[in-house]
Amino acid sequence: MTGRTAATATPAATPGDVAARATAGFRQRYGGQPAGRWAAPGRVNLIGEHTDYNDGFVLPFALPLRTVVAAAARDDERWTVWSELSADPVEFGPAEADEPGQVTGWAGYVAGVVWTLRAAGYAVPGARLAVASDVPVGSGLSSSAAVEAAVLAALVELGGLDLPADRWPRLAQRAENDYVGAPTGIMDQSAVIRGRAGHALFLDCRTEVVEQIPFDLDTAGLAVLVVDSRAPHRHADGEYAARRASCEEAARVLGVPALRDVAVADLDAALRKLSDGETRRRVRHVVTENQRVLDVVELLRTGRVRDTGPLLTASHASMRDDFEITVPEVDTAVDAALAAGAYGARMTGGGFGGCVLALVDADRAPAVADAVTAAYAERGFAAPGILTVRPAAGAARLD
Ligand code: ADP
Ligand code: MG
């Protein structure tokens, strides 16, 4: 995730540094001190893949990797944004903010937040913002939602807006969907805004009801490794659209609003109504994946963290064989982690690249990381980025 070559996994927790970088960026670009700093994390999905658009269940948690925005209000109604990932600040006013797509590139995520707030009737204060981040960009850990949430938190507080945090995920999602034009579900924004340390967020994508589920790795002596496969995303957009269309068509044939409405007990009967083998496999993935999320939630409620491992691995097999969204790099990471003693491992995210997570004994984390790195070298893949993570807090003001 950073340009590390050493195999050993490193803990992902240096919040001070990223906050200091945001402040330094603010001072350098704008002069003076920021009025405050607001942070939002990346996220990883523990289980529940391609269930969101089927009205099903997901179980993400917020990461200790964070995006920090140092910000101050200004007197006029303009917004200047700078990120350490870009050379020059970008400035825009109400005309650009009120027309989705007018601000392009990374600053569009910021303009989208201004737009979504203004469209909802809020008086957004003009502001100068400086963004620094430890969340890897484009690896499937939701750096985009982290930017949206940190900017949203900053603007809400700078403007004294009366906007409770349970409304933030929907607003941030609209920024990404309707201003930037990137289709995403509600999972990313929910996880990075509502995540809580030591917990995973059980989200019902139909009702948007969330529940904090204890996910206490430390007490269990466990760790989660996140392996960035560094696989180039191959045809991911088209394949995503095809999976989605296939699920929607299957629901139509089965006469249900969404595949969420097919229970595991009714799966065989449902599959008999589908003539095409590929569609049957897609349906089997979604239906069994929803059940796996529910099963993992039940195990976590009773503190049986280690016992979730086989369900994680079963999720991976389902994505590989039935949903057909894995690639050799992620399969290699999963197989190597399991062979090195992981309790469970799976690809996380939409597929065709992205990250793998593995549940391991905390003291085995370095050995499992080394095994994955060795397997990559053997296959001639670019070295993976590997981090150990634990569930962290959602968006908040830092100081
Ligand atoms: P991810 O899985 O990381 O969310 P996306 O493609 O959804 O991948 O979002 C990545 C985009 O979000 C980047 O291309 C950039 O436009 C924006 N972004 C994320 N983090 C930052 C940052 N720290 N500074 C500027 N832009 C960022
Ligand atoms: Mg994203």
Side-chain angles (χ1 to χ4, degrees):
M1 300 188 179
T2 56
R4 253 189 311 276
T5 48
T8 305
T10 44
T14 49
D17 301 345
V18 61
R21 297 203 310 272
T23 302
F26 185 97
R27 283 210 203 102
Q28 195 185 348
R29 300 288 147 176
Y30 309 130
Q33 288 288 0
R37 301 184 294 188
W38 291 263
R43 65 96 190 94
V44 72
N45 190 22
L46 182 59
I47 193 162
E49 228 60 78
H50 287 261
T51 46
D52 56 349
Y53 55 81
N54 289 296
D55 275 4
F57 308 111
V58 294
L59 190 62
F61 63 90
L63 294 174
L65 301 163
R66 296 195 287 188
T67 295
V68 175
V69 173
R74 52 192 282 176
D75 296 334
D76 52 357
E77 217 180 30
R78 297 193 65 78
W79 296 272
T80 313
V81 297
W82 170 84
S83 162
E84 60 185 348
L85 298 184
S86 70
D88 295 317
V90 174
E91 188 170 317
F92 57 89
E96 296 96 329
D98 290 348
E99 184 76 34
Q102 279 290 308
V103 178
T104 56
W106 75 272
Y109 290 85
V110 180
V113 172
V114 174
W115 169 78
T116 194
L117 285 170
R118 286 169 64 88
Y122 290 96
V124 184
R128 294 187 175 85
L129 308 119
V131 180
S133 181
D134 284 338
V135 184
V137 172
S139 293
L141 299 179
S142 218
S143 68
S144 58
V147 170
E148 293 150 16
V151 169
L152 188 55
L155 293 177
V156 165
E157 200 168 329
L158 288 173
L161 309 184
D162 180 16
L163 183 53
D166 61 356
R167 291 192 52 209
W168 295 10
R170 182 52 88 192
L171 289 167
Q173 184 200 10
R174 285 191 65 205
E176 184 148 350
N177 292 173
D178 298 340
Y179 193 96
V180 178
T184 59
I186 192 78
M187 169 168 71
D188 296 356
Q189 290 81 8
S190 298
V192 312
I193 289 166
R194 309 195 67 179
R196 187 185 290 174
H199 292 75
L201 190 79
F202 177 35
L203 169 63
D204 180 332
C205 297
R206 171 170 283 168
T207 63
E208 290 181 19
V209 170
V210 299
E211 191 185 341
Q212 302 287 348
I213 306 296
F215 183 40
D216 185 351
L217 294 167
D218 293 340
T219 302
L222 296 170
V224 168
L225 285 183
V226 172
V227 179
D228 185 346
S229 72
R230 298 233 169 92
H233 282 256
R234 306 173 185 100
H235 318 299
D237 291 350
E239 297 284 357
Y240 174 87
R243 296 304 180 286
R244 203 168 167 149
S246 183
C247 291
E248 283 161 9
E249 172 61 11
R252 197 189 59 74
V253 171
L254 295 171
V256 290
L259 291 182
R260 184 265 181 70
D261 299 296
V262 180
V264 156
D266 303 327
L267 178 59
D268 287 341
L271 296 181
R272 279 195 292 274
K273 291 187 195 150
L274 300 166
S275 54
D276 163 58
E278 184 182 282
T279 309
R280 282 199 294 269
R281 291 198 301 280
R282 305 295 188 248
V283 170
R284 188 164 57 197
H285 166 74
V286 173
V287 172
T288 58
E289 184 78 350
N290 271 327
Q291 186 60 47
R292 282 185 289 270
V293 177
L294 299 176
D295 292 346
V296 167
V297 165
E298 280 317 302
L299 288 169
L300 293 182
R301 281 190 209 283
T302 50
R304 295 169 61 193
V305 183
R306 184 168 298 144
D307 294 343
T308 64
L311 290 160
L312 304 181
T313 306
S315 168
H316 186 78
S318 179
M319 290 189 284
R320 183 190 58 214
D321 303 335
D322 278 349
F323 224 59
E324 298 177 282
I325 53 173
T326 70
V327 292
E329 288 89 338
V330 302
D331 291 335
T332 297
V334 166
D335 292 346
L338 292 172
Y343 293 107
R346 63 182 289 274
M347 183 185 77
T348 177
F352 306 99
C355 292
V356 162
L357 61 80
L359 183 67
V360 300
D361 277 327
D363 57 9
R364 289 277 303 160
V368 176
D370 287 348
V372 172
T373 303
Y376 264 53
E378 204 171 297
R379 298 284 306 263
F381 298 148
I386 307 183
L387 297 166
T388 55
V389 301
R390 54 169 53 75
R397 183 173 181 148
L398 283 185
D399 45 36

